[in-house]
DNA sequence: GTCTATATGGCGATAGAC
DNA sequence: GTCTATCGCCATATAGAC
């Protein structure tokens, strides 16, 4: 990894500008890859949006793949941080997923990035293929653990296993995002996810989530 | 529309060869767009696989967008045919969806086509945007009707509406496809879908589907 | 109906000046 | 660290011969 992750340890000297430029490039890369995916998104477009020349960009990232890797790594730091906060018990972890869905509803760029890249990266020779395989495995384990702790309290409905519930939860989140991107006003992602979680557990996530919403208004 | 849909009405004369060429082109287009999506898939690649030159292809389809439209139209004819067969009652319609999922598991090309195109077409200026918006609306209505007829027999679980169940079903199917494309051996699409349908209805689709499978072996 | 040849332009990446 | 200039490639699409 490079110096992007800890810019606070080198704020002075010539590196300060470098770090700022790198961040600008990575943010532009997120925009471009969100809109067009990796193959159709162009380095030149990223450079243009970052206010830098084509070669100026390639000074910071040797090639297109390095740019994609760095951008994904940056995103994963943010995600990992958000995940770490909600590993209390199973129920609160699933509530956190509903919050995540609500949060995503205000970030179409991020949602589109993962929707496009994850399908594109389905091809085995895609530069981000391994990244997404391991990303799904990691997330699936996290969600599976949440369901397992619920199962120990007999709160999973009959016929549902922690594994099948975890696969179903991730599938539901992904699928809802596609429909939401196509018709944002028709799809209520957090509600639909809560509805799913309620149907595979003995917990009324829909009611609890709407209670939270009313509490926020007070 | 062109003559592709009714080749049986003009089998002789010079059109016969044209029709055959067009079909070869559309099948090649399906391959290419399945692997790379629309933007990254190239007309040249399609032409190469169809055994024709670049300009030869453009004689049949004036530009790339026309090629995509014709290919989607052709696929939709097949899909509509498959759909028409199972509009008996609500329960059999949902069983047919499980069959569709099982069928898809042997057609990674088709699955990948829709997975990639539907996320790519999320962009409002994508040539297939309108196509996918109306495709989702149409399918959602079909599934919603199935759930509505179940609701009239009190077979929907509490807290689930025909609309939310339809949205959830489509989301589940889409999301499962992405995970299945990434790790085919880990995901059992028909089982996972049956599991979802069982959790939102009072019908044990998992048991009924596995009964069907055993019957087929006999 | 299919071809070759070509116009036009975007792409990733490199070389070398400042 | 950033630039201009450039190479070589591939793209969509057109013109015109056969």
């Amino acid at each position: 990894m490079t110096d992007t992750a800890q810019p606070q340890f080198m704020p002075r000297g010539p590196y300060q500008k470098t770090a700022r430029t790198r961040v600008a490039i990575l943010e532009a890369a997120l925009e471009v890859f969100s809109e067009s995916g990796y193959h159709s998104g162009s380095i030149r477009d990223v450079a243009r949006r970052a206010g830098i020349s084509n070669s100026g960009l390639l000074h910071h990232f040797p090639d297109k793949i390095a740019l994609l890797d760095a951008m994904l790594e940056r995103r994963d730091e943010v995600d990992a941080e958000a995940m770490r906060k909600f590993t209390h018990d199973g129920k609160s972890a699933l509530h956190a997923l509903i919050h995540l869905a609500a949060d995503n509803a205000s970030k179409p760029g991020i949602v589109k990035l993962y929707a496009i890249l994850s399908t594109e990266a389905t091809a085995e020779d895609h530069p981000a293929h391994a990244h997404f395989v391991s990303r799904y495995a990691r997330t699936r384990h996290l969600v599976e653990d949440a369901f397992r702790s619920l199962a120990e309290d007999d709160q999973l409905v009959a016929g549902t296993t922690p594994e099948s519930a975890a696969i179903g939860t991730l599938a539901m989140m992904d699928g809802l995002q596609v429909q939401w991107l196509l018709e944002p006003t028709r799809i209520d992602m957090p509600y639909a996810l809560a509805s799913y979680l309620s149907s595979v557990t003995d917990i009324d996530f829909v009611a609890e989530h709407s209670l939270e919403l009313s509490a926020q208004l007070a």
Side-chain angles (χ1 to χ4, degrees), chain A residues 102-135:
Chain A
D103 206 43
N104 281 341
S106 66
K107 296 172 184 165
I110 305 286
V111 171
K112 217 172 160 193
L113 175 74
Y114 282 105
I116 289 203
L117 279 187
S118 63
T119 55
E120 194 182 39
T122 285
E124 287 183 20
D125 58 351
H126 191 284
H129 182 75
H131 176 94
F132 275 93
V133 169
S134 81
R135 184 176 193 273

Side-chain angles (χ1 to χ4, degrees), chain A residues 34-45:
Chain A
S34 299
E35 290 166 17
S36 316
Y38 172 74
H39 286 306
S40 296
S42 83
I43 272 188
R44 291 175 120 93
D45 195 7

Side-chain angles (χ1 to χ4, degrees), chain A residues 6 24 27 29 31 44 53 64-65 74 84 87 108 110 115-116 125 140 153 159 164 173 180 189 202:
Chain A
Q6 302 95 19
E27 275 167 5
E31 273 186 41
R44 291 175 120 93
S53 77
K64 198 183 178 184
I65 293 182
R74 188 176 135 88
R84 231 172 280 133
T87 37
I110 305 286
I116 289 203
D125 58 351
R140 190 160 49 220
D153 294 343
S164 74
M173 293 180 77
W180 176 74
M189 289 196 290
D202 290 332

Side-chain angles (χ1 to χ4, degrees), chain A residues 181-197:
Chain A
L181 286 170
L182 278 170
E183 290 189 276
T185 59
R186 183 182 293 274
I187 306 294
D188 183 338
M189 289 196 290
Y191 165 77
L193 178 60
S195 179
Y196 170 72
L197 294 175

Side-chain angles (χ1 to χ4, degrees), chain A residues 19-203:
Chain A
R20 249 190 292 124
T21 306
R22 283 180 57 100
V23 168
I25 291 172
L26 291 178
E27 275 167 5
L30 192 149
E31 273 186 41
V32 170
F33 291 144
S34 299
E35 290 166 17
S36 316
Y38 172 74
H39 286 306
S40 296
S42 83
I43 272 188
R44 291 175 120 93
D45 195 7
V46 173
R48 214 174 297 131
R49 300 197 200 199
I52 202 179
S53 77
N54 183 15
S55 334
L57 188 154
L58 289 169
H59 168 74
H60 294 275
F61 304 94
D63 58 24
K64 198 183 178 184
I65 293 182
L67 176 61
L68 177 69
D69 283 345
M71 189 217 65
L72 286 174
E73 203 164 338
R74 188 176 135 88
R75 280 304 317 163
D76 273 8
E77 286 167 26
V78 179
D79 280 7
E81 186 65 23
M83 293 284 200
R84 231 172 280 133
K85 288 190 298 186
F86 60 73
T87 37
H88 315 303
D89 56 6
K91 183 176 159 182
S92 71
L94 297 183
H95 263 297
L97 286 183
I98 299 174
H99 279 132
L100 184 62
D103 206 43
N104 281 341
S106 66
K107 296 172 184 165
I110 305 286
V111 171
K112 217 172 160 193
L113 175 74
Y114 282 105
I116 289 203
L117 279 187
S118 63
T119 55
E120 194 182 39
T122 285
E124 287 183 20
D125 58 351
H126 191 284
H129 182 75
H131 176 94
F132 275 93
V133 169
S134 81
R135 184 176 193 273
Y136 269 100
R138 203 181 334 127
T139 315
R140 190 160 49 220
H141 276 123
L142 220 67
V143 178
E144 198 173 325
D145 285 346
F147 280 114
R148 190 170 295 113
S149 87
L150 254 61
E152 287 164 5
D153 294 343
D154 279 324
Q155 291 188 298
L156 268 197
V157 299
T160 302
T161 65
E163 189 195 3
S164 74
I167 290 172
T169 301
L170 295 195
M172 184 62 68
M173 293 180 77
D174 285 351
L176 286 172
Q177 287 176 358
V178 176
Q179 288 183 70
W180 176 74
L181 286 170
L182 278 170
E183 290 189 276
T185 59
R186 183 182 293 274
I187 306 294
D188 183 338
M189 289 196 290
Y191 165 77
L193 178 60
S195 179
Y196 170 72
L197 294 175
S198 301
S199 74
V200 292
T201 65
D202 290 332
I203 302 167

